[in-house]
Amino acid sequence: MLKSSRREAMGLALATPSFLFLLIFFIVPTLLLFVCSFWLAQSFRLIPAFTFDNYTRALSAGGFYALTWNALKNGLCTAVLTVGLSFPAAYFIVYRTRGNLLFYLILVSWFSSYLVRIYAWRVILGSNGLINTTLMQLGLISEPLEVLLFSPFATILTLTHIMLPFGLLLLVSALRDVKTDYIEAARDLGASQIEVLTKVILPMCYKGVVGAFMFTFVISAGDFVTPQLLGGRDGMTTGILIANQFRTAGNWPFGAAMAFLMLAAFLIVYLAFVRLLDLLRLAPGRRFHD
Amino acid sequence: MSLPNIVELYGVTKAFGALTVLHDIDLSIQQGEILTLLGPSGCGKTTLMRLIAGFEPTTHGRVIIEGVDVSNLSPDQRPVNMVFQRYALFPHLDVFDNVAFGLRLKKWPKDRIREAVQHMLHLVQLGEYGSRWIHELSGGQAQRVALARALVNAPKVLLLDEPLAALDLKIRHHMLAELKRIHRETGTTFIYVTHDQDEATILSDRIVLMNRGRIEQIGTPEEMYAHPRSLFCARFLGETNILSGAVSACDSDLTHVAVGRGTVKVPANGSAVSVGQNVSLAIRPEALQVRRRQGLGETTENALDGVVEDVVFMGSRVVYSIRTPVETLKFQETRSVDGSMLAPGEEVRASWRPDAAVLLTQ
């Protein structure tokens, strides 16, 4: 009794700092922003109110849908690419290599700053960049491909590059829990290599896959720096629009309303993704008998 | 009656890089027997089992199951199933779905799967546990599910890799009896890997004793215990007293060995020894006769005089350590009805019949 209550007290003491941090710097600001989304702004001043105007204004503007679609598309493409590219790499690192050298080499790309990497891609993809000059010198194209830079393609490529180590980190640690015993047991019971993947490995590292997917999706779909610097005119996203409301237009309530609409969109994507995995029978904790 | 061989190994060699862990193993496993691969850790017993299961390719040699060369087949294509040391039950599936795993891959119809799984769960006495999650099971229950998951596929051979190692002693003895029962009821051939000589003796029809990647001796538990062919075998199976000496004479049927200041006569058993050769003698603790020395005449043949050093009372039996000028002997007897025991410090004589000792040249 005494021991368990002491353990509880200990747990509480360990959890309190992070809980307080999140409360003060995340939950309270989010609630304030949520309240703010029902207010009005007039010439840079906030007017307390309770109105859905901001939401209806966003939802009735055609541009909002287009930009939100761009944002979701960036997020989905980046998440699919990141998970799709880092899963085989993680598999290789966990099951085919003894040391972690490869893992660390990939993580090294984290050591350079986010902005530096965005500008590096500008150099590579630009009109006088590495790709265009090489292709032109090879005589494959006569003038630079403008579509490489300042396009959703550039945004997704760069975001994938930035997100890959995150995805890898999450998937490596998830795969480490799927000991080779489980794989051998499945093989022994008659599973082909593909069946081992779909019936054992993926369900067992479900949390890692969902985590890696949602993590990269949310950060990429909400990002406004990369699309602004690399996305061009077609690459505008809701993130840029929201940032503008706060930074230049001074319309916090409208920005807040759009931010919560984005949040809702993210939740829908999350639920859809989880449902998809469930339909594909990749989720754990399912019974297949009655 | 000679039963057909279900598994045959010919010249199986396994090397990991420069390290050879199995040297040229030939072995036949009979239909329906429980064969134990016994040996200390690192002797190659687990590797040998993994070669039969198909988890590792052989470096040389062939693995034949029911007359078919499976050496180049992957584990999913071999008619064997395995029970893993840490069970490896799938945590994302419940008990029923774990057991049904193999049958679903074989695309059995639903009702046949249900029937087979229920039958198997009843066999391992977990009939009501189908909907339990794996983390809700005790060690012994997990062990039974692992057995059911393998046996439901009706394997030609069931491979068991130290299946009781993770269980505590009491459950282990119970599970040994259970394994024997399940073996009787299914008639499946069992290949059982263990480093525990007690498990091997209790369970096996035959024991394959392995050491450093080679087979040391094959035989029934009784044969192995009574007639170890090497020092390693004598030491590994049961307690034993080892005396060393040099051959002093060879009769037609008895070999004379000089041990200390006395002579030990031991059946020659066809082992070719020459006078002067150094040999070992193995004598089981229960094969000794120990009497108080008082009033006994001098003798130097098949006897050693000594002093009781230590007495360990173990309920139905008593184990003594007797210090002699040559070696400290272990002596074991069943507790006498009147409860009389030798006491530490008593002067005693340990003697034995010639055929109680085994002559070992290696």
Side-chain angles (χ1 to χ4, degrees), chain A:
Chain A
M1 273 291 277
L2 192 70
K3 206 167 179 185
S4 84
S5 68
R6 265 184 62 179
R7 278 176 70 136
E8 265 172 40
M10 185 73 170
L12 215 59
L14 289 171
T16 303
S18 57
F19 173 74
L20 283 179
F21 185 88
L22 282 176
L23 182 74
I24 296 166
F25 296 108
F26 178 68
I27 297 174
V28 170
T30 306
L31 288 175
L32 288 178
L33 205 63
F34 189 61
V35 170
C36 178
S37 72
F38 298 101
W39 290 7
L40 288 168
Q42 244 174 18
S43 42
F44 297 94
R45 278 194 308 119
L46 296 178
I47 301 160
F50 183 74
T51 168
F52 289 96
D53 282 6
N54 298 311
Y55 287 95
T56 48
R57 185 181 151 202
L59 289 171
S60 59
F64 178 78
Y65 293 99
L67 298 198
T68 303
W69 173 236
N70 277 348
L72 295 180
K73 205 168 58 185
N74 284 348
L76 285 170
C77 290
T78 307
V80 167
L81 277 173
T82 304
V83 172
L85 291 174
S86 52
F87 191 87
Y91 185 94
F92 184 81
I93 288 167
V94 171
Y95 297 116
R96 296 281 185 273
T97 60
R98 278 161 186 270
N100 278 329
L101 182 67
L102 193 63
F103 187 37
Y104 295 141
L105 281 177
I106 295 174
L107 292 191
V108 160
S109 72
W110 253 349
F111 288 17
S112 57
S113 106
Y114 170 76
L115 274 176
V116 167
R117 275 183 281 166
I118 293 176
Y119 280 102
W121 279 108
R122 276 176 88 139
V123 173
I124 296 169
L125 300 172
S127 300
N128 301 314
L130 189 66
I131 295 178
N132 273 324
T133 45
T134 312
L135 288 176
M136 279 166 70
Q137 277 177 0
L138 288 172
L140 294 170
I141 51 172
S142 53
E143 48 190 83
L145 292 171
E146 296 297 341
V147 66
L148 287 180
L149 191 58
F150 304 125
S151 66
F153 166 78
T155 309
I156 291 164
L157 186 67
T158 306
L159 283 172
T160 304
H161 174 217
I162 293 168
M163 289 299 152
L164 211 59
F166 287 97
L168 194 73
L169 191 68
L170 287 166
L171 290 175
V172 162
S173 72
L175 279 177
R176 290 235 191 267
D177 288 340
V178 187
K179 303 268 181 276
T180 45
D181 268 13
Y182 295 111
I183 295 169
E184 289 187 345
R187 292 286 281 154
D188 184 65
L189 292 166
S192 66
Q193 310 231 23
I194 295 290
E195 285 166 331
V196 170
L197 183 71
T198 57
K199 292 183 191 307
V200 175
I201 298 178
L202 283 174
M204 280 186 73
C205 64
Y206 175 81
K207 280 183 187 157
V209 171
V210 173
F213 186 90
M214 284 314 294
F215 193 82
T216 44
F217 168 75
V218 168
I219 292 187
S220 321
D223 184 38
F224 59 91
V225 179
T226 316
Q228 198 157 44
L229 293 174
L230 296 173
R233 267 179 38 195
D234 298 340
M236 273 283 278
T237 64
T238 330
I240 302 175
L241 200 62
I242 295 170
N244 285 345
Q245 295 306 313
F246 283 93
R247 294 196 300 197
T248 51
N251 194 341
W252 282 38
F254 187 46
M258 285 193 292
F260 280 99
L261 288 172
M262 283 297 276
L263 185 69
F266 289 178
L267 273 174
I268 290 167
V269 169
Y270 169 73
L271 293 173
F273 184 63
V274 166
R275 183 87 191 108
L276 177 72
L277 291 185
D278 197 38
L279 285 175
L280 292 173
R281 302 194 151 196
L282 295 175
R286 260 179 79 118
R287 294 189 208 278
F288 297 99
H289 61 96
D290 28 60

Side-chain angles (χ1 to χ4, degrees), chain B residues 6-9 27-30 32-38 45-46 48-53 63-65 80-83 147 156-163 179 183 188-194 203-206 208 210:
Chain B
I6 192 143
V7 178
E8 288 167 319
L9 306 178
L27 180 64
S28 297
I29 296 148
Q30 288 165 12
E33 73 174 332
I34 302 185
L35 181 104
T36 298
L37 303 176
L38 176 69
K45 57 188 191 298
T46 298
L48 189 58
M49 168 170 282
R50 291 173 59 81
L51 290 177
I52 297 171
V63 179
I64 314 280
I65 300 175
V80 299
N81 285 111
M82 182 145 160
V83 174
L147 264 171
K156 303 287 183 209
V157 181
L158 182 71
L159 307 171
L160 300 116
D161 182 15
E162 308 223 10
L179 281 173
H183 175 255
T188 310
T189 310
F190 281 20
I191 301 180
Y192 189 97
V193 163
T194 185
L203 198 64
S204 319
D205 294 316
R206 288 196 302 156
V208 176
M210 296 184 64

